[in-house]
Amino acid sequence: MSSYRITLLAGDGIGPEISAVAVALLERVASQHGFSLSFDPQPVGGAAIDALGEPLPASSLEACRASDAVLLAAIGGPQYDALPRQLRPESGLLALRAGLGLFANLRPVKIVPALIDASSLKAEVISGVDLLVVRELTGGIYFGQPKGRVRTEDGEERGFNTMTYSSSEVDRIARVAFELAQQRRGQLCSVDKANVLDVSQLWRDRVNALASDYPGVELSHMYVDNAAMQLVRNPRQFDVLLTGNLFGDILSDEAAMLTGSIGMLPSASLGSGGPGLFEPVHGSAPDIAGQDKANPLAMVLSAAMLLRVGLKQEAAAAALEAAVDQVLNEGLRTGDLMAAGCTLVGCQAMGSALLKALG
Ligand code: IPM
Ligand code: MG
């Protein structure tokens, strides 16, 4: 029997609640599909700051490196906002991405028919949307040097970051996006700001240079401002969207709202070999933490991505996704998705219903 080691990073806020749901489901679905999982909980983010004084302890990173896949819930909270940047929870997440070499972030956005009315957009605009944001995750303005804050001679303070990509950084993320487009509907839209930024012109030139390697893929380019508009005007036009780090951060939150709730969106972050990191797109929701109100579905769908992409356990992944569809079709909703005629449930009750749906 195959057995896999999962590093579990429950993190902060609602993280522990939604992690508990995901772990119970993963254990069940593994036993149903003939493999076993062992979970190694490690501190990250605010939880690690509280316990060990830093947001990504070396021991947590080592545990991640030694595992088959990493499941992360969420990090962050207002109590950490005043800390120096390198000691904030977000810095731990960035160090984790960099430390595991996770340059490719996959954020699928698929409309669940049962939730079509949960979106703030009209049903006719979003019905049938099925797109994938491929976001570069370890470069661009998030990591570019130089960066910082200086006091200038005239007494002003200046803050600055550098948006930078090398050709090899563009090529490796573009190849991931081309390959995923090949497996989907064969359309790749690369997002940039090449009308203004040199870094974007390089991005566009490199993506164009690779296109001949993927003759089945129809490549287009779109400026990021237009992409933001097109996502709410006509999101069905998109199959795979390729973006740099910052543009993908922004556009993936926007795309999340097509589904009605950011509480529905999973993600996978992958490198070249080594374990992948699977996490919901949403944050730690400190305002509802510990109240059994959190929506665990994005976490559960991230667990499904872990099974499919990280462990190549397709049948188990599909079973987990089917369980999510089933509870939604039964009308169960957490507060973020609640609608007339549906049944309001908490995080734990949603977990129990999902276990029941798995059988
Ligand atoms: C995300 C988040 C992170 C990011 C934050 C928490 C550092 O917004 O995963 O999209 O900006 O990448
Ligand atoms: Mg974000």
Side-chain angles (χ1 to χ4, degrees):
M1 183 166 80
S2 309
S3 79
Y4 306 98
R5 281 174 304 171
I6 311 294
T7 304
L8 181 67
L9 306 173
D12 308 323
I14 60 170
E17 301 161 57
I18 61 174
S19 295
V21 169
V23 167
L25 287 162
L26 280 168
E27 280 174 340
R28 172 77 61 91
V29 84
S31 76
Q32 289 172 333
H33 288 84
F35 58 95
S36 76
L37 302 171
S38 63
F39 293 91
D40 177 17
Q42 294 287 336
V44 69
I49 296 170
D50 294 344
L52 298 163
E54 49 180 336
L56 181 64
S59 49
S60 294
L61 179 58
E62 269 322 303
C64 290
R65 285 200 174 116
S67 60
D68 294 303
V70 182
L71 184 62
L72 167 68
I75 52 110
Q79 65 270 47
Y80 309 107
D81 286 350
L83 290 172
R85 179 161 309 284
Q86 73 278 11
L87 288 180
R88 289 191 210 165
E90 290 77 7
S91 300
L93 180 57
L94 297 186
L96 182 62
R97 290 170 177 171
L100 295 175
L102 305 172
F103 66 86
N105 182 220
L106 278 40
R107 296 186 164 182
V109 177
K110 195 170 175 179
I111 301 301
V112 183
L115 294 181
I116 196 121
D117 293 319
S119 176
S120 53
L121 296 182
K122 295 191 190 98
E124 71 241 39
V125 174
I126 57 163
S127 82
V129 165
D130 179 1
L131 62 86
L132 174 69
V133 178
V134 178
R135 170 190 176 193
E136 199 289 327
L137 202 60
T138 52
I141 197 165
Y142 272 54
F143 291 91
Q145 297 287 348
K147 65 174 184 177
R149 285 167 66 153
V150 290
R151 176 122 2 233
T152 57
E153 278 165 16
D154 54 7
E156 283 249 77
E157 207 183 354
R158 269 168 63 80
F160 54 97
N161 290 86
T162 304
M163 190 184 278
T164 171
Y165 275 112
S166 66
S167 46
S168 62
E169 279 178 309
V170 180
D171 291 3
R172 67 179 182 175
I173 188 68
R175 286 196 184 281
V176 170
F178 273 112
E179 278 160 26
L180 287 163
Q182 272 178 333
Q183 294 161 28
R184 293 173 49 101
R185 299 192 300 280
Q187 291 170 319
L188 175 60
C189 178
S190 174
V191 174
D192 62 39
K193 189 70 186 172
N195 50 344
V196 176
L197 302 176
D198 291 333
V199 58
S200 278
Q201 190 61 55
L202 172 74
W203 179 280
R204 189 175 283 222
D205 293 348
R206 297 304 300 191
V207 174
N208 274 330
L210 294 178
S212 60
D213 289 354
Y214 305 91
V217 176
E218 188 191 320
L219 171 66
S220 61
H221 302 275
M222 200 178 273
Y223 298 137
V224 62
D225 48 349
N226 186 24
M229 181 172 73
Q230 296 298 333
L231 267 174
V232 288
R233 195 185 77 87
N234 174 20
R236 264 191 306 272
Q237 72 186 281
F238 295 115
D239 180 14
V240 178
L241 277 160
L242 166 64
T243 76
N245 207 341
L246 180 64
F247 297 162
D249 178 48
I250 298 166
L251 293 183
S252 62
D253 267 31
E254 188 190 2
M257 285 322 287
L258 303 175
T259 68
S261 169
I262 199 166
M264 290 303 298
L265 247 68
S267 80
S269 303
L270 309 172
S272 36
L277 171 72
F278 301 84
E279 57 171 318
V281 172
H282 64 70
S284 59
D287 53 322
I288 57 164
Q291 300 171 36
D292 194 32
K293 288 182 180 165
N295 176 358
L297 296 181
M299 181 71 171
V300 173
L301 293 171
S302 300
M305 284 191 94
L306 180 153
L307 292 171
R308 173 176 294 118
V309 179
L311 308 183
K312 310 278 182 270
Q313 292 285 350
E314 169 62 34
L320 212 45
E321 289 166 349
V324 170
D325 280 342
Q326 186 176 325
V327 297
L328 290 171
N329 286 330
E330 286 167 3
L332 302 185
R333 301 282 187 276
T334 44
D336 55 319
L337 295 171
M338 189 52 193
C342 293
T343 310
L344 182 66
V345 293
C347 183
Q348 287 182 31
M350 186 61 101
S352 307
L354 287 162
L355 275 174
K356 196 161 152 246
L358 273 182

